[in-house]
């Protein structure tokens, strides 16, 4: 079954994406990663003859995979073309679920804030906060006490 899954996954990967990676999972399944489309497809045995569980999910920033969004059991004897059609449908539904939807929302969409790259007010530099001044005064006091104890105030 593992050899059949690997062969099917390789043919399927060629139909789905020009750029892909096919690798075997520990449980005997096969994963097809499409880095350029940020999606993955997994084929794993179900225990039934000539059947496989197909799962689809997203690839997150940094290359980690999100848990499967959708799952379906397919018959491997139906052909690679039909299997590719099922996978395309799963991938399309995964992409639709990942896209933010504003339909039916009573709140307006929030705009993203730009990242702060410099001082908040133009023309003014950064300033030292009150907490930093307190720490500096405490360190200065400790140094003064040490100097007093070492030199005994003999200046």
């Amino acid at each position: 079954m593992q050899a059949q899954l690997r062969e099917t996954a390789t043919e399927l990967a060629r139909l789905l994406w020009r750029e892909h990676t096919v690798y075997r999972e520990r449980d005997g399944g096969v994963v097809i990663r499409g880095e350029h489309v940020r999606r993955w497809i997994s084929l794993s045995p179900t225990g039934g003859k000539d059947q496989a569980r197909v799962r689809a999910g997203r690839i997150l920033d940094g290359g980690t995979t999100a848990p499967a969004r959708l799952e379906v059991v397919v018959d491997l004897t139906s052909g690679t073309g039909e299997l590719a059609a099922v996978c395309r449908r799963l991938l399309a539904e995964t992409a639709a679920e990942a896209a933010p939807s504003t339909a039916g929302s009573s709140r307006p969409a929030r705009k993203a804030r730009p990242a702060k790259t410099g001082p908040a007010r133009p023309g003014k530099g950064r300033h030292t906060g009150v907490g930093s001044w307190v720490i500096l005064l405490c360190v200065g006091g400790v140094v003064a006490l040490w100097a007093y104890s070492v030199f005994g105030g003999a200046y």
Side-chain angles (χ1 to χ4, degrees):
M1 183 67 170
Q2 290 178 0
Q4 181 184 10
L5 278 179
R6 176 74 179 193
E7 184 179 313
T8 303
T10 303
E11 292 174 23
L12 181 62
R14 287 189 198 119
L15 288 174
L16 292 175
W17 301 309
R18 283 179 285 139
E19 301 172 28
H20 59 269
T21 305
V22 179
Y23 62 91
R24 187 177 64 85
E25 289 183 304
R26 288 185 206 146
D27 66 354
V30 181
V31 176
I32 307 167
R33 286 176 66 107
E35 297 288 341
H36 62 293
V37 291
R38 304 181 58 82
R39 301 282 179 264
W40 60 267
I41 290 281
S42 168
L43 300 167
S44 58
T46 61
K49 184 175 177 155
D50 294 329
Q51 288 186 337
R53 180 176 62 174
V54 178
R55 298 182 305 148
R58 296 181 299 134
I59 298 174
L60 304 174
D61 293 337
T64 60
T65 56
R69 305 284 253 170
L70 300 166
E71 182 177 309
V72 68
V73 175
V74 296
D75 186 13
L76 294 176
T77 59
S78 61
T80 311
E82 290 183 30
L83 181 58
V86 169
C87 289
R88 285 187 183 110
R89 180 180 53 87
L90 289 175
L91 290 167
E93 289 177 16
T94 300
E97 285 182 7
S101 173
T102 57
S105 175
S106 60
R107 294 187 313 181
R110 290 179 20 185
K111 292 183 180 179
R113 292 183 188 164
K116 291 185 179 180
T117 57
R121 291 174 259 157
K124 295 191 176 188
R126 293 184 170 204
H127 66 278
T128 305
V130 175
S132 297
W133 283 113
V134 169
I135 291 173
L136 287 173
L137 288 174
C138 288
V139 169
V142 168
V143 169
L145 284 174
W146 172 80
Y148 183 76
S149 68
V150 168
F151 298 109
Y155 280 108

